[in-house]
């Protein structure tokens, strides 16, 4: 079931089918070290273990051996500005076991990220180029304002 | 059958590059190929978009465009959007954890917007189908109910396996209005509060209109009437606040 409303299921009735599921699933980096064939997900609170298994198998073509879920309680802490106590949302976390021999490693998404110096140089270069272009355009029309254009 | 065999043969031949040139001359429909199975890597963006500042993207699907699509197409598009949203959520979460800026966060809004539009289109079709077949909309029925505090709300009805009078759980969960002295008092006070607020608003608008008339005597009266339909302009003109501190002509 997705979070939508469906008619009640009674014995002998037709099987309930979800045509447009609106569940979301996030693959998250495990905080503690896990075996190589275990993948950690954060999912919609309404999802059951069966939902997660079917979701991954039917939509993503991932073979799932086992699903375990837990609900992580959101942190309670004082609001940074106001000081009153606020609680973060609870989230459901699912641990998926892949079949024996299959391995998943969470990729390093920021490996080929630009360094701050490179970024700064790039921005400076772009600004210089823009300025040169502007000068080039206004070379033959002195004393005209920069916004004057056709 | 024969075409199938042909296509099968050609796909086999295509693997051999030396012979594939010969087959290009054949009149064939473009081969439909399924995208490669990336499985769990579908939860991540393209590798070229990792760690970049900006990711260019198009606009969201409009409902008018989606209305032209067949049901199967919409069904397929839903899953594409669902996967895209999961991917974006995953990337956003990872960026948050690594204290980086998530590049082009408007992508998520676009996907959500498309999903919303798609759902409205599917719902429209569903309604039309139900109206044609059964004479009802086929939506979840709702009823105007009064809760324990005497306030009206739309109660979403649902099916139950046992009748109402036997369903103790339902009875506990949904408490509807029964006569209560204190609730009546509360309702009276609430009504008074609402009435006073309305009156105050009306008075404020009335005075504002007088102010406008004083400042702009040659104003378009039709426009004024349209903007403040509640205010009686003739009455406003008779007010002692109307007219400046000078002798009338």
């Amino acid at each position: 079931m997705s979070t939508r409303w469906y008619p009640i299921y009674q014995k002998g009735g037709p099987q309930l089918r979800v045509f447009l599921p609106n569940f979301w699933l996030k693959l998250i980096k495990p905080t503690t070290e896990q075996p190589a064939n275990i993948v950690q997900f954060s999912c919609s609170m309404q999802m059951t273990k069966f939902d997660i298994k079917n979701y991954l198998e039917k939509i993503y073509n991932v073979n799932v051996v086992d699903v375990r879920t837990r609900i992580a309680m959101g942190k309670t802490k004082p609001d940074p500005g106001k000081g009153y106590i606020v609680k973060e949302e609870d989230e459901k976390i699912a641990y998926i076991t892949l079949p024996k021999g299959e391995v998943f490693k969470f990729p390093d998404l920021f490996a080929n990220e630009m360094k701050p110096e490179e970024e700064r140089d790039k921005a400076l270069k772009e600004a210089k180029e823009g300025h040169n272009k502007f000068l080039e355009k206004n070379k033959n029309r002195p004393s005209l304002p920069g916004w004057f254009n056709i | 059958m024969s075409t199938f065999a042909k296509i099968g043969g050609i796909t086999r031949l295509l693997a051999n590059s030396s012979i594939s040139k010969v087959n290009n001359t054949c009149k064939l429909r473009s081969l439909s190929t399924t995208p490669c199975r990336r499985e769990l890597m579908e939860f991540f963006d393209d590798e070229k978009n990792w760690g970049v500042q900006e990711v260019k993207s198009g606009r969201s699907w409009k409902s008018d465009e989606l209305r032209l699509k067949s049901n199967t197409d919409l069904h397929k598009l839903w899953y594409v959007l669902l996967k895209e949203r999961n991917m974006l959520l995953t990337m956003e979460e990872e960026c948050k954890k690594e204290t980086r800026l998530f590049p082009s966060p408007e992508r998520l809004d676009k996907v959500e917007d498309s999903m919303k539009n798609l759902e409205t289109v599917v719902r429209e079709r569903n309604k039309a189908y139900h109206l044609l077949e059964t004479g009802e909309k086929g939506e979840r029925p709702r009823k105007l109910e009064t809760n324990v505090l005497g306030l009206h709300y739309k109660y979403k009805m649902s099916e139950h396996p046992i009748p109402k009078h036997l369903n103790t759980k339902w009875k506990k969960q949904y408490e509807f209005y029964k006569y209560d002295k204190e609730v009546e008092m509360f309702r009276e006070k609430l009504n008074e509060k609402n009435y006073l607020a309305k009156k105050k608003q009306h008075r404020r608008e009335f005075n504002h209109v007088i102010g406008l008339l004083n400042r702009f005597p040659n104003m378009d009266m039709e426009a004024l009437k349209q903007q403040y339909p509640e205010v009686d302009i003739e009455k406003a003109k008779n007010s002692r606040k109307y007219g400046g501190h000078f002798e009338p002509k």
Side-chain angles (χ1 to χ4, degrees):
Chain A
M1 282 284 280
S2 75
T3 51
R4 301 216 180 78
W5 178 77
Y6 289 91
I8 196 171
Y9 175 75
Q10 274 172 317
K11 213 174 173 183
Q15 188 184 346
L16 289 181
R17 295 201 182 270
V18 185
F19 291 105
L20 304 175
N22 53 3
F23 288 139
W24 53 263
L25 205 64
K26 273 190 244 180
L27 209 164
I28 51 174
K29 203 179 204 168
T31 41
T32 50
E33 208 177 320
Q34 298 277 358
N37 64 337
I38 284 194
V39 193
Q40 197 169 325
F41 287 96
S42 168
C43 60
S44 305
M45 197 52 103
Q46 293 90 347
M47 272 175 125
T48 62
K49 288 180 187 178
F50 296 105
D51 286 330
I52 295 165
K53 190 175 156 73
N54 282 328
Y55 195 96
L56 284 170
E57 282 182 349
K58 307 285 178 199
I59 303 177
Y60 284 95
N61 284 323
V62 176
N63 293 324
V64 177
V65 172
D66 187 32
V67 183
R68 283 172 298 129
T69 56
R70 71 181 174 96
I71 294 175
M73 194 162 88
K75 277 179 187 162
T76 313
K77 56 187 180 185
D79 183 88
K82 309 278 180 181
Y84 47 66
I85 301 296
V86 287
K87 188 183 161 295
E88 286 173 0
E89 287 283 299
D90 294 350
E91 67 172 336
K92 187 172 255 187
I93 290 172
Y95 300 90
I96 310 297
T97 314
L98 300 174
K100 209 172 183 181
E102 279 189 30
V103 170
F104 176 76
K105 195 174 165 290
F106 198 93
D108 184 9
L109 301 179
F110 305 102
N112 48 8
E113 196 186 29
M114 274 204 291
K115 281 176 195 151
E117 302 93 65
E118 281 179 47
E119 229 166 75
R120 192 194 56 207
D121 290 347
K122 197 186 163 195
L124 196 67
K125 203 179 150 196
E126 271 173 18
K128 271 182 185 167
E129 270 173 19
H131 184 61
N132 284 338
K133 223 173 160 184
F134 173 75
L135 290 180
E136 190 65 30
K137 200 173 79 183
N138 294 308
K139 207 164 65 181
N140 297 327
R141 39 180 218 177
S143 77
L144 263 182
W147 49 263
F148 187 83
N149 229 330
I150 297 166
Chain B
M1 187 63 209
S2 60
T3 51
F4 180 74
K6 248 187 224 165
I7 292 167
I10 278 154
T11 43
R12 246 178 284 129
L13 287 171
L14 275 172
N16 196 339
S17 58
S18 61
I19 312 170
S20 65
K21 282 173 192 168
V22 183
N23 294 308
N24 287 343
T25 52
C26 296
K27 278 186 181 175
L28 261 181
R29 278 187 302 170
S30 59
L31 279 170
S32 66
T33 50
T34 49
C36 62
R37 287 173 63 190
R38 295 198 297 133
E39 295 176 350
L40 281 174
M41 287 315 279
E42 275 183 287
F43 280 98
F44 300 97
D45 209 346
D46 263 351
E47 206 161 339
K48 63 178 182 194
N49 292 336
W50 291 1
V52 294
Q53 298 282 315
E54 193 195 7
V55 181
K56 293 264 165 61
S57 61
R59 60 165 171 77
S60 52
W61 283 87
K62 291 176 183 170
S63 15
D64 279 345
E65 289 164 348
L66 294 169
R67 281 192 189 102
L68 301 173
K69 301 280 173 202
S70 69
N71 286 342
T72 30
D73 281 352
L74 289 185
H75 194 240
K76 283 172 191 168
L77 181 60
W78 177 265
Y79 285 95
V80 171
L81 291 170
L82 197 73
K83 278 184 176 180
E84 184 73 9
R85 188 177 65 173
N86 284 346
M87 183 276 282
L88 291 170
L89 286 173
T90 303
M91 297 302 280
E92 192 187 26
E93 181 76 16
E94 186 53 22
C95 286
K96 215 179 189 175
K97 269 190 187 160
E98 297 286 326
T99 58
R100 306 293 157 90
L101 277 178
F102 174 50
S104 310
E106 76 277 0
R107 286 181 291 165
L108 249 173
D109 297 334
K110 283 175 190 172
V111 170
E112 303 245 307
D113 189 37
S114 306
M115 286 173 99
K116 206 182 93 198
N117 289 342
L118 199 154
E119 213 171 319
T120 50
V121 171
V122 169
R123 216 165 146 186
E124 270 171 21
R125 287 184 189 177
N126 207 34
K127 261 187 214 168
Y129 172 78
H130 273 269
L131 277 173
L132 196 66
E133 294 286 321
T134 63
E136 283 167 9
K137 277 184 182 174
E139 298 263 293
R140 184 173 183 176
R142 284 162 193 231
K143 188 165 73 168
L144 200 68
E145 271 288 355
T146 319
N147 66 7
V148 266
L149 290 175
L151 306 172
H152 300 300
Y153 75 107
K154 282 267 176 74
Y155 168 64
K156 288 178 189 170
M157 302 214 278
S158 55
E159 293 177 26
H160 296 277
I162 41 175
K164 217 186 227 177
H165 64 279
L166 294 173
N167 202 341
T168 40
K169 197 183 164 193
W170 178 82
K171 273 188 203 167
K172 266 182 203 166
Q173 200 175 353
Y174 294 98
E175 289 185 64
F176 296 120
Y177 178 70
K178 272 189 295 186
Y179 178 77
D180 189 311
K181 205 175 154 193
E182 278 167 0
V183 170
E184 279 304 309
M185 264 169 71
F186 162 72
R187 279 186 59 168
E188 227 166 63
K189 282 181 179 162
L190 188 74
N191 284 343
E192 188 183 346
K193 190 185 153 194
N194 290 343
Y195 168 73
L196 287 176
K198 207 176 165 187
K199 205 174 154 189
K200 213 171 171 181
Q201 176 69 18
H202 185 253
R203 171 59 54 186
R204 192 175 288 130
E205 268 183 14
F206 185 77
N207 286 339
H208 184 61
V209 166
I210 294 173
L212 286 176
L213 287 169
N214 284 343
R215 269 177 288 158
F216 312 107
N218 302 324
M219 201 168 27
D220 182 7
M221 288 301 150
E222 286 302 313
L224 188 71
K225 207 171 256 177
Q226 209 174 9
Q227 200 169 353
Y228 300 98
E230 298 278 302
V231 180
D232 185 358
I233 292 173
E234 285 309 308
K235 199 182 165 192
K237 277 183 179 171
N238 283 332
S239 161
R240 66 183 169 78
K241 289 177 192 165
Y242 177 61
H245 297 288
F246 50 80
E247 205 178 324
K249 284 170 196 169

